Amino acid sequence: IYKITSLKDDVIEYTFQFTTPQDVVYHPGEFILVRIQETPEEMFRAYSISSYNHDNKRVSVTIKKMPNGYGTDIIYNTFKEGDPVVLEGPMGRELRVDPRAEQVLLVGGGIGITPFLPIVTDLTHNAPDSLQQVKLLYGVNKTNEFLYKDEFEQLEGESPKFEFIPTVAFDDEWQ
């Protein structure tokens, strides 16, 4: 575990640094399996990758603590910076964007926003010429639940093709 960053009271970003001699290549929208216990039986949890792959040496996942959550209790109470952790992956292709798309609408909510940070970063920095517009609609219940809002706003300022649309469902102060 390279770094542990608290994003909210109940949300932590865990950054892992690979110790393998070869690079670990991952793509936006993929996930990894994190081993949370070895005994009494080996157990893994799947988490979407929430970082952009700059150097093929690190990967981050963002985890929300679930009340009475078996896996998150183990992670929150035992994972410390410097600890070795077994990861498997990357895996999946469920959230890969068609490179021929001209317009992309991404819709995410709550903690489900985590895979969209690397997807949007990739689309704004490495967009094919055919891509004209990317919109991200991100919904939460309360204003204080946004994750990576500053990062999405920064990406919006960097790319005229990207529009960030934050939305709050249950907050009387939200316009």
Side-chain angles (χ1 to χ4, degrees):
I1 300 172
Y2 175 76
K3 185 176 181 182
I4 298 174
T5 307
S6 178
L7 301 179
K8 305 273 182 202
D9 289 340
D10 61 347
V11 180
I12 295 178
E13 181 180 73
Y14 293 85
T15 301
F16 304 101
Q17 181 162 314
F18 303 118
T19 58
T20 58
Q22 73 275 12
D23 288 348
V24 178
V25 178
Y26 59 94
H27 303 283
E30 293 182 328
F31 66 94
I32 58 171
L33 297 178
V34 179
R35 185 169 72 186
I36 61 167
Q37 73 180 28
E38 194 170 353
T39 58
E41 64 182 71
E42 188 173 47
M43 185 177 295
F44 288 81
R45 288 290 191 261
Y47 293 102
S48 296
I49 296 171
S50 60
S51 60
Y52 186 73
N53 191 8
H54 288 290
D55 62 3
N56 300 326
K57 301 292 183 199
R58 293 187 189 138
V59 65
S60 298
V61 297
T62 305
I63 302 173
K64 180 176 176 128
K65 183 160 181 26
M66 301 305 295
N68 302 315
Y70 183 76
T72 58
D73 277 349
I74 291 171
I75 291 170
Y76 271 63
N77 294 325
T78 64
F79 280 30
K80 306 289 184 249
E81 286 183 8
D83 287 353
V85 177
V86 174
L87 306 176
E88 289 189 11
M91 302 174 179
R93 292 181 179 217
E94 291 82 4
L95 296 175
R96 307 245 353 236
V97 174
D98 185 338
R100 299 166 295 175
E102 293 179 12
Q103 296 183 359
V104 174
L105 173 63
L106 304 168
V107 180
I111 191 70
I113 198 65
T114 59
F116 292 102
L117 183 58
I119 290 171
V120 169
T121 302
D122 186 54
L123 288 173
T124 56
H125 291 129
N126 303 312
D129 292 336
S130 62
L131 185 62
Q132 300 301 310
Q133 183 179 52
V134 177
K135 290 186 180 189
L136 171 62
L137 176 62
Y138 175 23
V140 295
N141 289 323
K142 300 284 186 181
T143 305
N144 65 349
E145 295 175 353
F146 281 116
L147 296 173
Y148 302 115
K149 187 172 184 274
D150 293 342
E151 289 85 344
F152 288 122
E153 288 173 344
Q154 179 179 342
L155 288 167
E156 185 177 39
E158 294 173 0
S159 174
K161 293 182 178 184
F162 176 57
E163 181 181 357
F164 176 56
I165 308 165
T167 304
V168 178
F170 303 107
D171 193 331
D172 293 336
E173 302 299 315
W174 185 260
Q175 296 296 316

